[in-house]
Amino acid sequence: MKDITDAMNWRYSVKDYDPTKKLSADDFQRLKDVLRLSPSATNIQPWHYVIADDDAGRARVAKGTDGHHEANSSKIKNASHVIVFCSRAYADDEYLSELLEKEDADGRFTEPKRKIQMDEKRKKSVNNHRFSKKDEPF
């Protein structure tokens, strides 16, 4: 593929999966690395992933399709791997402080004022969603 447009034109929605085909461990590790490195607004990384890569795990995830979405059950059960994207629903001040201190311990800030700026920027963003937009995606 030459560029992102080529990649998107190549993309298609899979309707059924061949249960005999499995992603290799190396390919799936590369996918997990991409997920782990995915950035987020103000570095909050509000998401976690649940990975089902065996029959029992996929069956457990497929329970979520019971009823209105049961047409998707076979897709989940027959896929090589299923990734459930989970997002933080609320980033309270305690979480924001823990995140800031972890970044500081990791050496993210080159000078003390950068830590203060990140804290202010992050709180402004969260509070904008919390109080102005009232959609708090964190």
Side-chain angles (χ1 to χ4, degrees), residues 1-81:
M1 287 178 255
K2 295 179 183 178
D3 60 29
I4 191 72
T5 303
D6 287 342
M8 294 309 293
N9 282 326
W10 175 84
R11 185 207 66 77
Y12 63 95
S13 295
V14 176
K15 302 298 180 195
D16 291 297
Y17 295 97
D18 180 346
T20 66
K21 293 186 177 183
K22 303 291 180 194
L23 285 174
S24 71
D26 288 341
D27 285 345
F28 194 66
Q29 183 59 53
R30 291 193 338 235
L31 179 58
K32 289 191 298 185
D33 290 343
V34 168
L35 293 173
R36 183 179 56 81
L37 297 170
S38 298
S40 66
T42 64
N43 203 36
I44 283 184
Q45 274 76 331
W47 40 79
H48 298 272
Y49 308 98
V50 175
I51 297 170
D53 61 358
D54 62 17
D55 290 341
R58 289 188 298 273
R60 191 169 176 193
V61 172
K63 285 182 183 181
T65 66
D66 289 350
H68 185 68
H69 300 287
E70 67 184 41
N72 292 317
S73 182
S74 66
K75 295 173 190 175
I76 294 168
K77 291 176 181 176
N78 291 333
S80 174
H81 295 71

Side-chain angles (χ1 to χ4, degrees), residues 107-122:
R108 177 178 170 122
F109 308 111
T110 56
E111 49 189 289
K113 75 176 186 176
R114 297 288 185 223
K115 181 179 176 181
I116 294 167
Q117 289 170 335
M118 175 55 83
D119 189 39
E120 290 171 351
K121 177 183 177 189
R122 187 175 283 140

